[in-house]
Amino acid sequence: MELNENSKKVLKSNIEILFNQLKVAVDSYVKNGRSMGDFSFINAYLSATLNAMVSYIDRLVKVTQLEESELVEALKFANNLQKHKPELIQIAKSTGGMAFPICFENEVIISEISVVWDDCICLKTRKDAQKISYEKNFQQQPIIETLTPIVDKLLQNSCILSI
């Protein structure tokens, strides 16, 4: 069984467009120097990107072009997290930057602002391996850096066997 070429084209296009908009949202957040603030655009594009990725992955698994791996489980957990408990979690959070009040002692070092995957907040799942994979592969890691190689692999034209 094989995935229809038109379906594949649409699914890949969705991932590409949404991921590019996610990168724009993250870049905008970081460039504006916000260390804490409104994540609405980041979370919206991250949620949409995850949903598009998981939709494509599910189709690839169904036609045996992809096997479920630890990264696939982590993606599915993140997707379920934002779908079922959006009021309980921000998928993204920032680290680094400055916070007030500030107390200066000796040398001042301001770490770079980074948008990372948030901690898991106890979403119950039927597959504990998904939560473990999320914690191992995504939690506290930079979002764009973790998704880029996965998105690149999904957008390649070659047959996908694993992620």
Side-chain angles (χ1 to χ4, degrees):
M1 186 188 281
E2 195 155 318
L3 186 57
N4 175 291
E5 275 306 310
N6 192 44
S7 295
K8 188 184 291 189
K9 182 179 177 181
V10 169
L11 292 165
K12 288 167 76 170
S13 175
N14 291 347
I15 293 168
E16 185 174 23
I17 290 166
L18 292 166
F19 185 61
N20 285 335
Q21 289 303 305
L22 173 61
K23 289 192 288 188
V24 168
V26 169
D27 287 345
S28 174
Y29 184 91
V30 171
K31 284 179 184 169
N32 289 326
R34 300 179 197 150
S35 61
M36 299 177 77
D38 183 15
F39 285 96
S40 58
F41 285 97
I42 293 172
N43 279 325
Y45 286 117
L46 179 55
S47 294
T49 301
L50 286 170
N51 196 21
M53 292 172 73
V54 170
S55 293
Y56 185 41
I57 286 168
D58 282 345
R59 297 253 182 110
L60 291 172
V61 168
K62 187 175 180 178
V63 297
T64 65
Q65 284 188 283
L66 180 68
E67 294 178 12
E68 290 219 17
S69 66
E70 197 172 83
L71 285 176
V72 169
E73 288 179 338
L75 285 167
K76 286 184 174 187
F77 183 80
N79 191 49
N80 285 335
L81 195 61
Q82 60 85 27
K83 275 195 316 192
H84 297 296
K85 298 289 185 183
E87 73 281 2
L88 298 178
I89 187 167
Q90 274 186 198
I91 298 172
K93 74 174 192 174
S94 67
T95 59
M98 293 190 303
F100 294 96
I102 295 177
C103 179
F104 294 104
E105 293 180 22
N106 301 330
E107 187 176 321
V108 176
I109 299 173
I110 301 172
S111 55
E112 184 177 327
I113 296 171
S114 181
V115 178
V116 300
W117 294 95
D118 205 350
D119 295 337
C120 168
I121 53 130
C122 304
L123 175 70
K124 293 190 191 274
T125 178
R126 286 178 276 168
K127 295 184 178 180
D128 289 335
Q130 287 182 351
K131 179 181 176 186
I132 293 165
S133 294
Y134 175 86
E135 291 170 344
K136 178 180 175 186
N137 294 288
F138 289 174
Q139 188 169 289
Q140 298 300 313
Q141 299 300 313
I143 288 171
I144 300 302
E145 288 177 28
T146 56
L147 289 181
T148 296
I150 301 168
V151 168
D152 289 347
K153 183 87 172 181
L154 290 173
L155 296 180
Q156 286 176 355
N157 289 326
S158 62
C159 181
I160 299 171
L161 297 175
S162 67
I163 294 180

